[in-house]
């Protein structure tokens, strides 16, 4: 086909190829979900419908992109980890980031009704995304540990905050003031003494977030292994998780 005289503009395009041998992490995060969660009456501090929908959208992404070895989600965010030797889209940054983000976003909308039933989706949500490269296994572990520690810190804060508001009758401003400068131990104590709540007994999905992993499952009749995506709500900071799931870092 003859080239048009306009074709030269393509040379203005640039392409970033992600450094070889590095773990590729794509993290997406909901835009203004503080507002989105209010507009759609999410339960506070944790709406299980919203977490279920996030996990569903993420598992659609894992079904599509087999080079994602592990994903971690909490609140309105999800991190997808691609194997370090992936050649998917020749490691083109824009392709990887935009395909993962848009498949996640459209799945969030597509499956909305399965989780929220007759709660109407009031406007189209959107998500930002970024790509980060981690050169060592320790860097990757520290990254995931950072996100899970963030989940814990926020959840302890939010659980205490909403106990003060919903059960303690404080205004949101008063609750914020009450918690200003408190340590983890202070929040645990408020929950225990004032609200008869032992934070340790809160659901693991709230305290730890969700890890999506691929696991080999033996077919019950045919002697064939099938890879399925399974959710875990466990600690990934300690070594135990990585020894039990040693295939992740061995790949
Ligand atoms: P930004 O656009 O900068 O990300 P944001 O409002 O989305 O702003 P985040 O720090 O991402 O801010 O926080 C997400 C917010 O979404 C939480 O603070 C919480 O209010 C709300 N949220 C997310 N998931 C849930 C959930 N499952 N249940 C209740 N609230 C949730
Ligand atoms: P890639 O993932 O590489 O973009 P693609 O199949 O999307 O692959 P494109 O070059 O983007 O390839 O072409 C889009 C194709 O989508 C068109 O060739 C056409 O077949 C189809 N298509 C898009 N819009 C329409 C439309 N409005 N009516 C009919 N067909 C359409
Ligand atoms: Mg943010
Ligand atoms: Mg957000
Ligand atoms: Mg967030
Ligand atoms: Mg196309």
């Amino acid at each position: 086909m003859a080239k048009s005289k306009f074709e030269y503009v393509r040379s203005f395009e640039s392409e970033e190829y992600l450094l070889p041998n590095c773990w590729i992490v794509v993290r997406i995060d909901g835009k203004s979900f503080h507002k989105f969660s209010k507009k759609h009456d999410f339960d506070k501090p944790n709406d299980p419908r919203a977490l279920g929908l996030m996990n569903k959208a993420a598992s659609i992404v894992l079904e599509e992109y087999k080079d994602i070895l592990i994903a971690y989600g909490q609140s309105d965010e999800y991190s997808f980890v691609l194997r370090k030797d992936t050649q998917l889209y020749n490691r083109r940054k824009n392709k990887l980031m935009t395909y993962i983000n848009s498949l996640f976003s459209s799945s969030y909308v597509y499956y909305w009704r399965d989780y929220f039933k007759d709660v109407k989706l009031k406007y189209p949500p959107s998500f930002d995304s970024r790509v980060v490269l981690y050169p060592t296994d320790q860097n990757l572990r520290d990254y995931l540990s950072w996100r899970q520690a963030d989940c814990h810190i926020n959840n302890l804060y939010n659980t205490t905050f909403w106990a003060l508001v919903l059960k303690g009758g404080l205004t949101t401003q008063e609750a914020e003031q009450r918690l200003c400068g408190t340590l983890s131990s202070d929040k645990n104590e408020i929950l225990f003494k004032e609200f008869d709540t032992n934070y340790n007994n809160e659901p693991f999905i709230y305290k730890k977030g969700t890890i999506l992993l691929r696991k080999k499952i033996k077919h019950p009749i045919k002697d064939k292994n099938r890879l399925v995506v399974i959710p875990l709500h466990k600690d990934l900071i300690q070594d135990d998780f990585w020894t039990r799931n040693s295939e992740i870092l061995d790949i």
Side-chain angles (χ1 to χ4, degrees), residues 112-247:
W112 173 267
R113 277 200 65 183
D114 290 0
Y115 292 84
F116 281 90
K117 309 291 174 198
D118 32 336
V119 178
K120 203 172 163 320
L121 185 56
K122 291 187 170 148
Y123 61 91
S126 54
F127 295 81
D128 71 15
S129 54
R130 72 196 70 196
V131 174
V132 192
L133 295 174
Y134 290 108
T136 68
D137 293 358
Q138 189 61 49
N139 290 151
L140 178 69
R141 277 190 57 173
D142 289 345
Y143 170 78
L144 292 167
S145 299
W146 173 51
R147 297 325 303 146
Q148 192 169 60
D150 183 81
C151 175
H152 164 73
I153 292 163
N154 289 334
N155 188 57
L156 178 59
Y157 182 93
N158 292 335
T159 304
T160 317
F161 178 89
W162 287 104
L164 289 166
V165 172
L166 298 175
K167 299 176 193 163
L170 268 59
T171 65
T172 51
Q173 269 174 352
E174 287 165 346
E176 203 174 311
Q177 264 175 11
R178 176 83 198 277
L179 292 178
C180 186
T182 54
L183 307 172
S184 286
S185 52
D186 301 322
K187 295 181 192 79
N188 273 299
E189 193 169 297
I190 293 174
L191 284 172
F192 196 69
K193 292 218 171 119
E194 297 177 33
F195 302 104
D196 204 20
T197 299
N198 184 342
Y199 182 76
N200 293 329
N201 297 335
E202 289 292 294
F204 277 93
I205 185 173
Y206 301 160
K207 288 186 296 186
K208 300 292 180 195
T210 301
I211 304 160
L212 296 180
L213 275 187
R214 289 178 203 287
K215 281 284 167 193
K216 279 199 188 104
I217 304 269
K218 257 226 165 77
H219 194 284
I221 306 159
K222 297 175 204 161
D223 192 31
K224 243 180 115 185
N225 282 331
R226 243 171 8 113
L227 275 179
V228 292
V229 173
I230 56 152
L232 295 174
H233 313 291
K234 290 193 168 157
D235 179 274
L236 57 64
I237 297 176
Q238 303 302 318
D239 290 339
D240 185 60
F241 172 82
W242 298 96
T243 39
R244 279 174 193 275
N245 301 287
S246 57
E247 72 279 4

Side-chain angles (χ1 to χ4, degrees), residues 29-38 42-52 54 74-77 108 116 126 128 130 154 158 162 206:
D29 183 287
K31 181 185 180 190
S32 304
F33 261 48
H34 188 68
K35 175 186 135 197
F36 184 84
S37 61
K38 262 198 186 142
F42 282 18
D43 299 338
K44 290 295 177 179
N46 290 294
D47 191 314
R49 298 169 299 179
L51 294 176
M54 289 290 292
Q74 52 125 335
S75 181
D76 67 340
E77 69 170 62
Y108 191 93
F116 281 90
S126 54
D128 71 15
R130 72 196 70 196
N154 289 334
N158 292 335
W162 287 104
Y206 301 160

Side-chain angles (χ1 to χ4, degrees), residues 102-113:
S102 61
L103 182 58
F104 183 93
S105 306
S106 64
S107 300
Y108 191 93
V109 172
Y110 190 82
Y111 290 104
W112 173 267
R113 277 200 65 183

